[in-house]
Amino acid sequence: MSKRVGIPRALFYYHYFPLWKTFFEELGAEVVVSGNTTKKTMDEGSKTCVDEACLPIKIFFGHVIELKDKVDFLFIPRFTSVSKGEYICPKFGGLPDMIKNTVDNLPEIIDVDVDLWKKGSNPLVSAFEVGSYFTRERRMIMKAYRKAMESFREFRTEVKKGILPEDILSKKLRLIKKSDGPRLNIAVIGHGYNVYDSYANMDMVNKLKNKGVNVLTIDMVDSSVIKEKVKTLSKRMFWNYGTRAIGSALHFLDRKDIDGIIYLMSFGCGIDSFVADLIERRVRRKKDLPFIVLTIDEHSGEAGMDTRIEAFIDMIRWRSKSESNISAHG
């Protein structure tokens, strides 16, 4: 009987799931994914996790609780760095320990270190460590890793075509209602686990689509473009996410077909608090482009989110249609 590996549908799931799924299945494991985030997921996570944690971490706890009695292993990598010379949020590095010391009756946790900070760091080291839970044959692990990287590249190619990761991973493209007026191109800047988790963001992406918006995200911008754009900064970014967020925002600012930018952040996120401000300053200084920050937390009232989205879209459509007809004196 194959071993079951549980993967929480949260955090880096939206970036790396095709890679992880292929790797484990090539080694003969059965991959079990938690369901979509629900109120129960959020409530269970919030109740179990420390109060100071941000919403995405609380949601991750909820997904772990859903999975823990259904699998032989939980895959919770200890992420430190996913790019050379840059770190990610320290909560990712401490996540396996937070889970182990807070959640009861856990299966064995695969908490391999992922740290690509140093030059010459090789992700294969982590792959061999994870693979050793299922086989001693290094050749088999190497083959699984190659297949996994192939799946990951195919996934990234689809995303760069403008397809949202959420739609690819759920294997369905959502129906879009017809809306009045021409379609708008709006860039949504934010962590993937905020942008693609429709419960956490109160279905923001689909609400935008149904209002005639083409949603563009960080993941649709090629890494080479991001690297080129961040060279204009006076100082190199310390955080991987900061680099990607600012680089993609500068790319969207240079495009002539972008109608507005939404920055989606979770309350209590230290990185978001200053990256959002840096991007807003660039937007205000460089271009007269509509910009708004939307903040999410564990409160579930949608009225505020709906009102701000509607007002933002209405303002953009009004500007494109009427602003040029207003005289200079107002």
Side-chain angles (χ1 to χ4, degrees):
M1 187 176 182
S2 59
K3 295 178 180 177
R4 293 166 298 167
V5 180
I7 297 181
R9 192 186 296 264
L11 298 181
F12 277 131
Y13 162 86
Y14 296 100
H15 292 280
Y16 298 119
F17 179 67
L19 186 154
W20 297 338
K21 181 176 186 292
T22 302
F23 183 73
F24 286 122
E25 288 181 345
E26 286 292 318
L27 294 176
E30 177 189 349
V31 174
V32 181
V33 184
S34 53
N36 291 320
T37 304
T38 62
K39 185 178 187 303
K40 182 180 178 183
T41 313
M42 190 180 289
D43 288 346
E44 288 290 334
S46 298
K47 186 169 60 179
T48 309
C49 187
V50 294
D51 292 338
E52 295 78 13
C54 60
L55 176 64
I57 296 293
K58 291 175 180 177
I59 287 175
F60 188 88
F61 268 70
H63 283 282
V64 167
I65 292 167
E66 179 188 331
L67 278 174
K68 69 184 182 71
D69 298 322
K70 304 174 183 177
V71 296
D72 303 301
F73 298 99
L74 275 172
F75 183 57
I76 308 176
R78 189 184 301 277
F79 281 106
T80 301
S81 171
V82 293
S83 55
K84 291 177 176 58
E86 295 171 333
Y87 284 116
I88 59 174
C89 174
K91 288 191 180 76
F92 288 103
L95 194 55
D97 295 320
M98 291 170 67
I99 296 290
K100 288 176 186 176
N101 289 285
T102 311
V103 182
D104 296 325
N105 303 315
L106 289 167
E108 186 171 359
I109 291 179
I110 302 175
D111 59 349
V112 60
D113 289 334
V114 178
D115 186 357
L116 303 183
W117 169 274
K118 296 177 183 176
K119 189 175 180 181
S121 299
N122 193 341
L124 262 175
V125 175
S126 300
F128 280 123
E129 184 180 340
V130 175
S132 67
Y133 282 82
F134 306 95
T135 180
R136 294 182 180 276
E137 295 184 32
R138 290 176 68 85
R139 186 179 297 179
M140 186 177 180
I141 297 172
M142 188 68 196
K143 181 183 176 185
Y145 177 76
R146 286 175 179 155
K147 284 275 186 84
M149 288 303 299
E150 185 180 324
S151 294
F152 181 65
R153 282 190 289 268
E154 289 173 359
F155 170 67
R156 292 291 302 137
T157 299
E158 290 298 299
V159 172
K160 287 174 187 175
K161 290 177 183 176
I163 304 174
L164 294 170
E166 181 188 10
D167 292 336
I168 299 172
L169 296 175
S170 63
K171 293 192 167 109
K172 64 180 178 181
L173 295 177
R174 301 176 189 278
L175 293 174
I176 302 172
K177 298 175 186 173
K178 271 188 127 180
S179 62
D180 297 329
R183 296 196 68 78
L184 301 174
N185 291 323
I186 293 183
V188 178
I189 307 293
H191 292 278
Y193 43 80
N194 288 334
V195 176
Y196 307 129
D197 188 325
S198 59
Y199 185 83
N201 63 39
M202 302 178 197
D203 209 26
M204 182 199 71
V205 171
N206 287 312
K207 287 173 181 174
L208 288 170
K209 286 181 180 180
N210 292 332
K211 289 186 178 298
V213 172
N214 296 319
V215 176
L216 300 99
T217 69
I218 293 174
D219 296 307
M220 295 175 187
V221 183
D222 193 86
S223 57
S224 61
V225 173
I226 289 175
K227 287 178 183 176
E228 198 59 38
K229 294 298 180 185
V230 295
K231 286 180 182 177
T232 62
L233 299 176
S234 58
K235 188 177 180 182
R236 182 175 176 175
M237 284 295 298
F238 183 74
W239 306 104
N240 167 266
Y241 168 72
T243 297
R244 296 177 65 243
I246 293 176
S248 59
L250 293 175
H251 165 70
F252 290 130
L253 276 174
D254 286 340
R255 285 177 52 165
K256 300 190 184 304
D257 62 340
I258 301 298
D259 298 295
I261 295 178
I262 294 173
Y263 193 99
L264 181 69
M265 63 180 287
S266 56
F267 179 78
C269 177
I271 297 175
D272 271 337
S273 64
F274 73 83
V275 172
D277 184 66
L278 285 173
I279 291 176
E280 183 169 7
R281 287 169 186 261
R282 284 279 175 149
V283 172
R284 305 297 184 214
R285 189 186 316 149
K286 192 169 183 180
K287 197 171 184 180
D288 183 22
L289 190 70
F291 178 89
I292 189 174
V293 176
L294 298 178
T295 304
I296 55 176
D297 58 22
E298 50 264 61
H299 299 292
S300 56
E302 293 189 40
M305 174 72 79
D306 291 350
T307 300
R308 298 194 76 192
I309 289 173
E310 288 171 10
F312 189 64
I313 301 302
D314 289 346
M315 180 265 295
I316 292 174
R317 293 197 186 281
W318 179 87
R319 278 179 52 144
S320 63
K321 188 169 96 173
S322 307
E323 194 172 56
S324 59
N325 297 326
I326 298 175
S327 63
H329 67 271

